[in-house]
Amino acid sequence: MEKPTKIAVPRGKLGVLLPGVGAVATTFMAGVELVRTKKALPVGSLTQMATIRLGKRTEGRSPKIKDFVKLARLEDMVFGGWDIFPDSSYEAAAKAGVLDAKHLALVKTFLSKIKPMSAAFYHEYVKMLNGKNVKKGKTKYDIALQVKDDIARFKKKHGCSRLVMLWCGSTEVFMKQHEVHATPESFEAAMKENHPAIAPSMLYAWAAITSGIAYGNGAPNLTVDVAALRQLAQEHNVPIAGKDFKTGQTLLKTVLAPAFKARMLGLNGWFSTNILGNRDGEVLEDPGSFKTKEESKLGALEFILQPHLYPDLYKKIHHKVRINYYPPRGDNKEGWDNIDIFGWLGYPMQIKVDFLCRDSILAAPIVLDLVLFLDLAQRAGMRGIQEWLSFYFKSPMTAPELYPEHDLFIQLMKLKNTLRWMMGEDLITHLGQEYYD
Ligand SMILES: NC(=O)c1ccc[n+]([C@@H]2O[C@H](COP(=O)([O-])OP(=O)(O)OC[C@H]3O[C@@H](n4cnc5c(N)ncnc54)[C@H](O)[C@@H]3O)[C@@H](O)[C@H]2O)c1
């Protein structure tokens, strides 16, 4: 792809559309409001807190990312969403139990006004949920057109100059690419005949892309990872990115595994288990939804460790991932990892990680960064898969012939170098010989 010559300045309102107004979406919206009213800090967000080094180490140029690439301002964001439950975003946030009473009180008026539009939903794709705030229509195509109408209405009502859609809805049942996903024509025909290979998340994605709106996928769902939607994204000049926010356990996995590989330490096994008690955990009790999440969580190790290149170290890895729904914990997930490594002459060692995390607190800044970077990509004329956003995902989307990059620090370098490239700055290679000439 050619370097963007001109990046449009972010003028006017940026509409943020969220299918799924649950724990993550409400924590994100509440957080943006608390930050822009100066009541909290955007901890965890690169776009708000991180700097980027430009030029040589001796130049001392390290602007904030948001100033360097001119990201949209939080003050210019307006929010909308869809959910199968009619609760306002305030009620949904209160039920999710992520934010404490003090924070909830501060955003009550703001969140109460954001009411979800009726959802494109079919129970067989998320078997643990039943809700009444659901669109009616003869075919999936009719439903997708209703989503397009919702988008157009939202844009007009709020006077948005740009929009981004980011899936914060539930994990759907496991799906593989099907022949109906091959082309935009076969995809549209499949929507018209209510084909089972068209999941609800795909209806939102199709509606967004064909409306010229960037789409990000926060769940492990197949959604935009099919040929037809990739082609439509190219044709409509729309950036797409996914999938599955990299928040807790996998974040640490993609930090630790590169360290073992860097030091040529071997790995026999990695057992990861979780307890969590939020609605996401309940949805993942269904084996179909769990399979989607499991596939997403399992991928990282294989790609980082490259057992085909290092058979002595990584050929026989027992990698297991478990998720257990345990209501008393709510959104405060506990993720345990037992890691069996081996060193010099094959002597075994163990590492235990116990991460008492907060799922949505980790996910919310990722939502913010993805919204702002997808908007930037679109203003810069970048379309199709945005691999430089792999940093944020458990299963990064890539061109079909490429393997995904999972190492967090390679992902970060890729992200920052992409920003430098967009702005015509030198890429940073970390060679550094010039300092010693
Ligand atoms: N929080 C994390 O750390 C994290 C990490 C990675 C991925 N995710 C994914 O993000 C998503 C959201 O997580 P959450 O904790 O907010 O879950 P949640 O259950 O609190 O919220 C999801 C919401 O989506 C709604 N929904 C389901 N299908 C829908 C549809 N077709 N249209 C509109 N709404 C629909 C549900 O009713 C629910 O309110 C999940 O898929 C989860 O797997 C979360």
Side-chain angles (χ1 to χ4, degrees), residues 22-24 83 120 168-171 204 218 244-245 247 279-280 293 359:
V24 171
D83 206 287
C168 290
S170 306
T171 300
Y204 291 97
D244 205 6
F245 303 130
T247 46
R279 190 184 282 155
D280 187 30
K293 192 57 117 182
D359 243 11

Side-chain angles (χ1 to χ4, degrees), residues 143-178:
I143 301 283
L145 291 180
Q146 290 179 38
V147 175
K148 277 187 89 146
D149 288 345
D150 289 346
I151 296 171
R153 221 174 301 119
F154 180 90
K155 183 174 183 200
K156 193 156 173 233
K157 182 174 165 200
H158 294 277
C160 301
S161 58
R162 290 117 45 229
L163 296 154
V164 170
M165 185 186 284
L166 196 76
W167 176 268
C168 290
S170 306
T171 300
E172 296 174 332
V173 292
F174 183 67
M175 288 174 70
K176 283 197 164 143
Q177 279 216 60
H178 186 280

Side-chain angles (χ1 to χ4, degrees), residues 115-318:
K115 302 206 168 81
M117 298 177 264
S118 60
F121 183 74
Y122 296 88
H123 174 73
E124 55 273 34
Y125 298 87
V126 186
K127 298 210 173 76
M128 302 301 278
L129 294 185
N130 275 307
K132 294 212 158 58
N133 192 34
V134 171
K135 292 192 190 308
K136 291 189 177 62
K138 256 204 188 131
T139 70
K140 293 181 174 177
Y141 184 66
D142 298 334
I143 301 283
L145 291 180
Q146 290 179 38
V147 175
K148 277 187 89 146
D149 288 345
D150 289 346
I151 296 171
R153 221 174 301 119
F154 180 90
K155 183 174 183 200
K156 193 156 173 233
K157 182 174 165 200
H158 294 277
C160 301
S161 58
R162 290 117 45 229
L163 296 154
V164 170
M165 185 186 284
L166 196 76
W167 176 268
C168 290
S170 306
T171 300
E172 296 174 332
V173 292
F174 183 67
M175 288 174 70
K176 283 197 164 143
Q177 279 216 60
H178 186 280
E179 59 191 27
V180 300
H181 301 138
T183 65
E185 293 73 29
S186 59
F187 189 93
E188 194 172 310
M191 287 196 287
K192 287 178 176 160
E193 62 187 47
N194 287 330
H195 197 286
I198 305 289
S201 61
M202 291 175 175
L203 303 180
Y204 291 97
W206 180 87
I209 294 169
T210 57
S211 304
I213 294 170
Y215 185 92
N217 182 8
N221 306 336
L222 184 64
T223 320
V224 272
D225 225 348
V226 298
L229 293 178
R230 283 199 301 267
Q231 187 181 327
L232 282 172
Q234 292 288 341
E235 288 171 10
H236 291 267
N237 292 319
V238 165
I240 52 175
K243 45 193 193 200
D244 205 6
F245 303 130
K246 177 153 87 172
T247 46
Q249 196 165 52
T250 309
L251 174 72
L252 293 187
K253 211 169 254 180
T254 61
V255 171
L256 290 173
F260 303 150
K261 187 173 147 205
R263 295 298 297 265
M264 289 285 108
L265 293 168
L267 184 73
N268 281 325
W270 197 312
F271 179 73
S272 303
T273 187
N274 299 273
I275 52 174
L276 81 162
N278 57 15
R279 190 184 282 155
D280 187 30
E282 190 179 355
V283 165
L284 295 172
E285 281 275 278
D286 170 52
S289 290
F290 173 69
K291 168 96 173 128
T292 312
K293 192 57 117 182
E294 187 188 28
E295 291 278 318
S296 173
K297 278 178 158 266
L298 281 175
L301 276 192
E302 180 94 357
F303 285 113
I304 291 173
L305 298 175
Q306 300 177 296
H308 58 290
L309 296 181
Y310 305 101
D312 292 336
L313 301 175
Y314 306 122
K315 201 171 63 195
K316 283 193 205 132
I317 303 171
H318 296 272

